[in-house]
Amino acid sequence: MHPATHAKTNPDRAAYIMAGTGETVTYRQLDERSNQGAHFFRSQGLKPGDVIALFMDNHPRYFEIAWAAQRSGLYYTCISSKLTAGEVEYIVGDCEAQLLITSPGVGAVADELPGVLPKHVKLYMAGEARAPYASWEDAISGFPTTPIADQTAGSDMLYSSGTTARPKGVKPPLTGGPIDPESPLSSMSEMIFRFPPLPIYISPAPLYHAAPPRW
């Protein structure tokens, strides 16, 4: 089920816990912060079908940003935190991202990007932001924690590994429907893996990869 559903039925349950620090984000917090992010995206003129890019390590804000994009009808392109500035530049340009969010954990590459990315791409950093990046947390802090009026389902837009020439983006068509459609992964987890409702799931993989954010 969509996190917004769990926020209503299990608001104080941990949506995820960061293994390295123990930081816990509840379903209520995930829902409220993703709502704030959705309002922020609309304030920036982003409409359904537009694209944002995430160039981050496994950061506690990652899911909040992804769900903000999903409930805004946006595509969110998850970029490998291991890429060079030139490689990130190519993907940001190819997916036509209008906004990039990064984190301190990607290291010096974040400092190189402002000099190579198109000037129209707006730059934000989650965590301890440094110039010229604006703070993601500060940017969304003043917005409502309630849903935007025009919620519609967005989608990830992921890139191939680039084994044959440059990476290629996979851009699935948007449904234009509600944010909580039936998920094939949910059916698979119930029928094949027999996961119980609200299981505890250990995810050791990088969130920019295809399977981790979807599961």
Side-chain angles (χ1 to χ4, degrees), residues 3-211:
T5 302
H6 295 307
K8 295 175 183 176
T9 58
N10 294 276
D12 297 321
R13 183 183 175 96
Y16 54 92
I17 302 170
M18 302 302 293
T21 63
E23 180 177 347
T24 299
V25 175
T26 66
Y27 279 108
R28 177 190 286 113
Q29 291 171 322
L30 175 58
D31 187 54
E32 290 180 348
R33 293 171 188 171
S34 65
N35 279 326
Q36 288 181 303
H39 281 284
F40 168 73
F41 288 143
R42 286 289 186 269
S43 78
Q44 298 301 298
L46 295 173
K47 59 188 183 301
D50 287 340
V51 186
I52 67 164
L54 282 72
F55 178 55
M56 305 172 69
D57 60 339
N58 280 13
H59 193 279
R61 305 286 78 80
Y62 207 113
F63 286 123
E64 298 168 6
I65 296 167
W67 284 116
Q70 188 273 339
R71 68 195 312 160
S72 305
L74 304 180
Y75 287 102
Y76 50 101
T77 297
C78 304
I79 302 175
S80 170
S81 60
K82 308 300 181 185
L83 298 186
T84 65
E87 292 167 331
V88 175
E89 175 196 12
Y90 165 72
I91 292 177
V92 169
D94 187 71
C95 74
E96 300 182 333
Q98 298 180 39
L99 187 148
L100 171 78
I101 305 165
T102 188
S103 58
V106 300
V109 176
D111 297 320
E112 300 176 44
L113 288 176
V116 298
L117 291 179
K119 299 302 181 185
H120 72 271
V121 177
K122 299 173 182 178
L123 303 176
Y124 292 85
M125 181 175 284
E128 296 184 11
R130 56 183 183 267
Y133 293 93
S135 165
W136 169 256
E137 289 85 351
D138 289 349
I140 70 169
S141 63
F143 287 94
T145 58
T146 51
I148 57 175
D150 58 341
Q151 286 194 133
T152 183
S155 173
D156 59 32
M157 178 183 177
L158 304 181
Y159 273 71
S160 68
S161 60
T163 52
T164 55
R166 283 183 153 178
K168 299 169 182 63
V170 180
K171 191 175 187 179
L174 298 179
T175 66
I179 63 174
D180 56 349
E182 179 69 24
S183 168
L185 291 178
S186 297
S187 300
M188 185 185 301
S189 68
E190 293 171 3
M191 292 187 297
I192 299 178
F193 299 113
R194 300 182 184 277
F195 287 169
L198 291 174
I200 296 174
Y201 172 65
I202 299 175
S203 179
L207 293 177
Y208 61 75
H209 212 281

